[in-house]
Amino acid sequence: MISRRDRSLIAEWWWTVDRTTLFLVLLLLAAGVVLSFAASPPVAERLGLSTYHFALRQAMYAPTATAIILGISLLTPRQVRRLALLILLVSLSMMVAVLFIGDEVKGSRRWVYIAGMSLQPSEFLKPAFIVIVAWLFAEGSKHPEVPGKLLAVILLIITAALLVAEPDLGQTILIFSVWGAVFFLAGVSLPLVGGLAGTAVAGLFAAYFMFPHFTSRIDRFLDPEGGDTYQVDIAMRSFERGGWSGSGPGEGVMKRILPDSHTDFVFAVIAEEFGIILCLALICIFGFIVMRGLMHALRRKQPFERMAIAGLSIQIGLQAFINMGVNLQLLPAKGMTLPFISYGGSALLSSAVVMGFILALSRERAERKVTVMPHSSFAEQL
């Protein structure tokens, strides 16, 4: 048992970190490994791999994800900013490289192989992008001479351009939505918010006419009879077959014909084998994590911490909402993973970075007053 009198780094961390959120995140992480053993074997067998290929790899990623969460949660807000800036610069560089040397999968270039491991740089970009944008908005608000809002807009344009070039419109929409939320929290005027919303709508219309695969997904969502809706139809049958209590672990049938049962449609596999009750429990856990993060944000006195925690919480919640919405045929089909549950090394480690940032910034010691010299430079404050 750690004593409150202990002033070591670990003791201070233990008494200041949000242990409830940490427990729920580790619970999701463990559930993702267990559910991978249920959802991934049919996919592995179809690809000619060993039965538990994906499940074992997920189990290998889990300790690394845990270490990332715990390690980042030890950082101070300034260290969080510096780490985020490093991740952002590396991710942007890798996203440029992906366009030239990345492997093309289903018409998109999103992955690069390093040391035999497939990485998706855009996954790591998201948490770093949110932290840096929050910092830019905060600095722009505190120091009028700092062009924080302009730099945040430029960063959004660069990021969106690289995502569209892959193309990855789903991640673009997610990034734009979270950026808009942080923009709103920065205290901007309603006309600017309206202008942002109008720009977003115009961008969606442009994407509809410019990208055939995006057009196809929207058309199939609006008119299911007019196109191929195989995966979402099978997903819906999984919910119907599972009912409230499910058919039992390993007893699912739909996963054997569901192409992406271990990634984008793992929620449907959960519904068939474990029932709607477990699905509702997962929804409640994600909802609790998001709401707890927003409550922490409301209590922060520092604008940077408030906007960063809120933006990161919205990101994790919006990503979960999109994944579940696609599985339930409430949203157009989009390849977005369910945080901590879906298979995928990049997605899992990226989610770990998100939660590590949230836990670090929401620690009680983050409220300590930091004195900033009136003539300190923009770089020195980073």
Side-chain angles (χ1 to χ4, degrees):
M1 184 65 180
I2 300 176
S3 171
R4 286 185 179 273
R5 296 179 182 180
D6 189 346
R7 297 303 177 187
S8 66
L9 177 65
I10 299 300
E12 183 185 1
W13 169 83
W14 176 254
W15 292 113
T16 57
V17 76
D18 184 346
R19 294 189 296 276
T20 301
T21 297
L22 176 61
F23 169 77
L24 291 176
V25 170
L26 294 180
L27 180 63
L28 285 176
L29 191 58
V33 174
V34 173
L35 293 170
S36 183
F37 278 91
S40 66
V43 179
E45 291 171 359
R46 285 198 297 269
L47 296 175
L49 303 171
S50 62
T51 301
Y52 296 109
H53 173 81
F54 295 114
L56 292 175
R57 287 178 68 88
Q58 187 80 347
M60 291 172 59
Y61 289 131
T64 304
T66 302
I68 288 174
I69 294 171
L70 298 178
I72 293 179
S73 69
L74 290 166
L75 302 180
T76 65
R78 172 171 285 193
Q79 290 170 334
V80 165
R81 290 197 297 268
R82 291 177 175 178
L83 177 60
L85 180 61
L86 176 62
I87 295 174
L88 179 71
L89 294 176
V90 172
S91 297
L92 287 174
S93 301
M94 291 180 66
M95 286 177 67
V96 173
V98 160
L99 300 178
F100 299 97
I101 64 173
D103 288 346
E104 184 172 337
V105 179
K106 298 181 180 180
S108 297
R109 291 186 181 273
R110 304 175 188 173
W111 291 268
V112 61
Y113 283 88
I114 299 177
M117 180 179 177
S118 176
L119 293 176
Q120 188 175 353
S122 60
E123 286 287 349
F124 297 96
L125 173 76
K126 291 183 293 186
F129 173 86
I130 295 168
V131 170
I132 296 303
V133 163
W135 177 65
L136 290 172
F137 279 133
E139 289 301 305
S141 299
K142 290 190 297 183
H143 307 284
E145 71 278 7
V146 176
K149 292 183 175 65
L150 176 60
L151 292 174
V153 171
I154 293 174
L155 181 57
L156 173 66
I157 293 172
I158 293 173
T159 301
L162 289 173
L163 287 171
V164 170
E166 289 185 352
D168 191 343
L169 298 182
Q171 297 283 25
T172 306
I173 294 171
L174 179 64
I175 284 286
F176 201 95
S177 300
V178 179
W179 187 94
V182 178
F183 186 62
F184 179 78
L185 291 171
V188 297
S189 62
L190 288 178
L192 281 176
V193 175
L196 176 67
T199 302
V201 172
L204 288 175
F205 273 105
Y208 179 82
F209 292 106
M210 291 175 60
F211 297 96
H213 72 284
F214 186 72
T215 305
S216 174
R217 288 180 177 181
I218 297 297
D219 289 344
R220 281 180 290 171
F221 175 72
L222 297 176
D223 181 20
E225 302 298 328
D228 179 20
T229 56
Y230 177 77
Q231 288 216 79
V232 291
D233 290 341
I234 296 300
M236 289 304 297
R237 287 173 60 187
S238 298
F239 283 92
E240 295 170 1
R241 189 174 184 278
W244 286 100
S245 58
S247 58
E251 298 299 321
V253 175
M254 296 296 105
K255 66 183 180 183
R256 302 188 180 281
I257 55 176
L258 190 58
D260 297 320
S261 62
H262 63 320
T263 54
D264 303 343
F265 288 91
V266 68
F267 194 59
V269 176
I270 295 171
E272 182 181 10
E273 298 197 358
F274 299 93
I276 296 175
I277 292 177
L278 183 58
C279 291
L280 291 174
L282 283 175
I283 292 172
C284 289
I285 291 174
F286 278 111
F288 186 86
I289 290 173
V290 173
M291 292 305 298
R292 197 164 177 87
L294 294 177
M295 289 173 64
H296 280 300
L298 285 173
R299 291 196 293 266
R300 296 296 101 176
K301 294 179 181 179
Q302 297 297 326
F304 159 67
E305 295 166 19
R306 181 170 59 250
M307 288 186 283
I309 295 171
L312 292 164
S313 299
I314 291 170
Q315 182 216 312
I316 206 85
L318 188 57
Q319 186 168 332
F321 172 77
I322 292 173
N323 177 276
M324 294 174 183
V326 170
N327 276 252
L328 291 167
Q329 225 167 355
L330 298 176
L331 295 172
K334 168 64 193 89
M336 185 124 358
T337 56
L338 185 60
F340 297 107
I341 303 298
S342 296
Y343 169 80
S346 295
L348 179 60
L349 299 183
S350 171
S351 296
V353 173
V354 173
M355 293 311 307
F357 282 160
I358 291 175
L359 290 170
L361 294 171
S362 63
R363 285 174 59 190
E364 291 303 318
R365 61 144 171 79
E367 289 283 31
R368 292 177 181 174
K369 186 176 180 180
V370 178
T371 302
V372 179
M373 297 302 292
H375 300 294
S376 60
S377 68
F378 186 53
E380 287 173 342
Q381 292 177 40
L382 176 61

